[in-house]
Amino acid sequence: MKLVIFDFDGTLGDTRHTIVTTMQMTIAEMGLSDRSDDDCASKIGLPLDGCFRALYPDEREETIQRCADVYRRIFQENLLTLKPQVFPGVRETLSALKAQGLTLTIASSRWHRSLSELTRDLGIDQYFSYLVGADDVEKAKPHPGPVLKTLSAMGVDSSEALVVGDMNVDILMGVHAGARTCGVTYGNGTKKELEEAGADYIINSIDELLAIALLHNEESDGNETDPMGRAIADYHRTGTADRLRVFSPMFDEDEIPLSTLFRSYADMPAVEREALDMVKGRTLDVGAGAGCHSLVLQQRGIDVTAIDISPLSVEVMKERGVKKAYVQDFFTLGHQQTSVMSGQRYDTILMLMNGIGMVGTLARLPEFFRQLDRLLAPDGQLLCDSSDISYVYETEEGFIEYPEDMAYFGELNYQMQYKDTIGKPFPWLYIDAETLRQIAEANGYAVEIVAEGEHYEYLARVIKGQ
């Protein structure tokens, strides 16, 4: 995929209140019969004359055109007091899509000048390479003209484009042009309307586009750098997968059995089952992978949100039925006020399968605990597991001897490979229970070891200190 063509109103810009208010003021000034706010909102996405023609099919064409002119005048006046905003996550998602090398454009039913001014005023104009307004084409949505004009200008085939919109006319426009389509449910249309129009994808928040984009880039790019996600996707969709290889300077080459990422509660080790049984309240599953823990909790009626930095893994979680799964780095969660999860606090934060290892180093643990301060609810808990790998350095005489140049024995570096996809090297932390307890206490937290396994692993419950 090379190109994403966005609708504007109801997809990027939250303009419903401004538009509906302007339509009602136009109707009043024109002396036309009343229409409800829902009636007006249902016409968003159509060109202006089409909106009023749909609302007043028996009116003369001259009246319809006057309505459109009056609307434009009032809309410009209303922008001073009813300024639209972008939807949560729009700026971050546009930035991430650009970082993936995608070209971004807009095809809107509003006039080009209005579209250009709004994108500039909202501070998102720098993300877009091309804009098409209703006055730039002979036939507007749902005719494919706006998409075809964009494809021609960008030199891109329809098979390499994705059309994103909130109304059935957006989806139909993309379908008629031969492009893939994605409907968004947070705008003005309904999920049923988007499905009936033939949307290939339907998403509930704009950041879900990242997984879709990466999924399709992975189809055409063998150098994609998400080996874990690619392996998970293959196993989920085919029931089999090649080896997910793991490399470290400290150990011989290893591999991760993909089936362990899809196991049921009954097949999980005792430490993980204990953790799931201790979960309470609103829960954040960090590094959720294929979603096996989230699915167990969801089946128990727990309000669980799953996050992972792998877009392909998040896509698989959604396909498996995880209701709330997002591409999200734990350390940036809550820092961006426009995030779909901004302001949320959790009764339980879950980090399993050596999940606290994602902290990487002991030096980053203070930052980790500050993030817990932001995310844990009062009386909240962190449930995490790790392993004490000091046994690796045990001599034949039973003594532990560490290399002299080693900072901390549990700080390792890994790299993964799946088929021809090679990930970037990353740090990983195995922390012994006593070191975790000491650093936690220094940062205002208390640690309780609630379970220990047969292979030096343990489960810790971490709470705010009294």
Side-chain angles (χ1 to χ4, degrees):
M1 188 166 68
K2 297 180 179 179
L3 174 68
V4 183
I5 305 173
F6 289 94
D7 168 56
F8 179 78
D9 295 288
T11 302
L12 299 172
D14 186 0
T15 55
R16 177 187 173 110
H17 180 60
T18 310
I19 291 173
V20 170
T21 299
T22 303
M23 291 180 75
Q24 293 289 22
M25 294 173 69
T26 300
I27 289 169
E29 183 170 320
M30 292 292 296
L32 299 171
S33 57
D34 293 343
R35 294 292 185 268
S36 70
D37 286 354
D38 287 342
D39 285 339
C40 294
S42 69
K43 305 302 182 287
I44 296 175
L46 295 172
L48 273 180
D49 55 353
C51 287
F52 288 104
R53 193 175 293 114
L55 288 170
Y56 299 99
D58 297 329
E59 290 291 339
R60 294 183 302 168
E61 188 62 23
E62 178 183 353
T63 301
I64 297 300
Q65 294 304 321
R66 283 182 58 207
C67 285
D69 292 338
V70 170
Y71 176 96
R72 293 188 184 98
R73 171 176 56 79
I74 296 176
F75 186 85
Q76 290 302 121
E77 296 169 355
N78 282 344
L79 284 179
L80 298 175
T81 56
L82 301 173
K83 185 177 180 180
Q85 301 294 324
V86 294
F87 283 103
V90 163
R91 290 186 179 86
E92 294 82 358
T93 300
L94 295 177
S95 177
L97 291 172
K98 290 286 285 186
Q100 288 187 24
L102 294 170
T103 299
L104 310 182
T105 68
I106 300 177
S108 174
S109 290
R110 65 175 55 250
W111 279 14
H112 189 109
R113 178 179 176 181
S114 173
L115 177 62
S116 179
E117 290 175 349
L118 274 175
T119 55
R120 184 188 65 241
D121 292 345
L122 293 173
I124 59 172
D125 56 314
Q126 70 271 23
Y127 297 112
F128 298 102
S129 303
Y130 193 66
L131 305 179
V132 174
D135 53 333
D136 293 321
V137 291
E138 292 184 7
K139 294 183 178 181
K141 306 173 185 179
H143 190 274
V147 172
L148 297 177
K149 182 177 180 67
T150 302
L151 294 174
S152 177
M154 297 292 99
V156 174
D157 187 79
S158 62
S159 64
E160 299 175 312
L162 178 71
V163 175
V164 184
D166 67 310
M167 300 291 287
N168 59 354
V169 293
D170 301 314
I171 303 305
L172 291 170
M173 173 182 67
V175 170
H176 294 157
R180 289 190 175 103
T181 57
C182 177
V184 303
T185 61
Y186 54 80
N188 301 299
T190 67
K191 182 178 180 181
K192 182 179 179 182
E193 291 169 341
L194 297 169
E195 290 174 339
E196 291 176 346
D200 295 301
Y201 304 95
I202 295 180
I203 59 178
N204 299 316
S205 61
I206 195 167
D207 64 329
E208 296 175 45
L209 271 180
L210 298 175
I212 295 172
L214 191 54
L215 176 67
H216 288 291
N217 284 344
E218 189 262 341
E219 291 178 355
S220 58
D221 185 0
N223 296 318
E224 192 264 313
T225 56
D226 183 12
M228 173 75 85
R230 189 178 175 195
I232 286 174
D234 273 5
Y235 190 88
H236 169 61
R237 289 163 187 152
T238 68
T240 185
D242 283 4
R243 297 169 59 217
L244 178 56
R245 304 166 67 189
V246 181
F247 305 93
S248 173
M250 296 293 299
F251 303 108
D252 293 335
E253 178 185 331
D254 200 355
E255 66 179 271
I256 298 176
L258 270 300
S259 60
T260 64
L261 304 178
F262 290 81
R263 56 194 172 195
S264 66
Y265 176 82
D267 294 327
M268 293 176 187
V271 164
E272 291 181 32
R273 296 199 303 270
E274 178 76 15
L276 293 177
D277 292 342
M278 293 177 63
V279 166
K280 63 176 184 178
R282 177 183 288 163
T283 299
L284 180 68
D285 184 4
V286 180
C292 60
H293 302 122
S294 289
L295 286 171
V296 171
L297 297 175
Q298 196 170 274
Q299 291 164 2
R300 295 180 178 183
I302 297 291
D303 178 9
V304 58
T305 298
I307 63 172
D308 203 288
I309 61 172
S310 163
L312 287 171
S313 297
V314 171
E315 183 73 14
V316 168
M317 281 194 275
K318 292 175 184 291
E319 291 178 8
R320 298 187 72 207
V322 177
K323 295 177 181 177
K324 293 192 287 186
Y326 302 99
V327 180
Q328 177 67 58
D329 185 331
F330 173 80
F331 283 98
T332 62
L333 179 58
H335 289 265
Q336 299 169 331
Q337 292 305 308
T338 54
S339 168
V340 69
M341 293 175 285
S342 63
Q344 295 280 9
R345 287 184 175 266
Y346 300 90
D347 302 295
T348 300
I349 294 179
L350 197 64
M351 305 177 75
L352 295 183
M353 299 182 75
N354 281 308
I356 200 171
M358 49 82 69
V359 176
T361 63
L362 293 183
R364 203 180 187 192
L365 277 170
E367 179 187 356
F368 171 76
F369 285 110
R370 289 195 299 272
Q371 184 67 342
L372 288 187
D373 289 340
R374 296 185 185 95
L375 298 179
L376 275 180
D379 299 322
Q381 61 177 352
L382 164 69
L383 299 175
C384 63
D385 62 351
S386 190
S387 299
D388 181 349
I389 63 168
S390 59
Y391 69 89
V392 173
Y393 303 96
E394 185 174 346
T395 66
E396 293 181 358
E397 293 78 22
F399 297 103
I400 302 294
E401 294 183 357
Y402 304 119
E404 293 182 0
D405 59 348
M406 177 173 289
Y408 175 69
F409 65 86
E411 293 181 347
L412 304 180
N413 287 289
Y414 285 116
Q415 189 171 25
M416 292 186 182
Q417 179 175 352
Y418 180 73
K419 296 182 178 178
D420 58 351
T421 300
I422 302 175
K424 297 178 181 179
F426 60 93
W428 196 259
L429 177 65
Y430 292 96
I431 184 168
D432 67 279
E434 183 56 33
T435 300
L436 176 62
R437 181 180 287 110
Q438 292 175 5
I439 296 178
E441 289 178 354
N443 287 274
Y445 283 83
V447 174
E448 174 191 3
I449 305 302
V450 296
E452 293 182 292
E454 298 177 356
H455 304 287
Y456 305 96
E457 74 271 22
Y458 64 88
L459 172 66
R461 179 174 183 261
V462 182
I463 60 174
K464 193 69 176 174
Q466 302 300 319

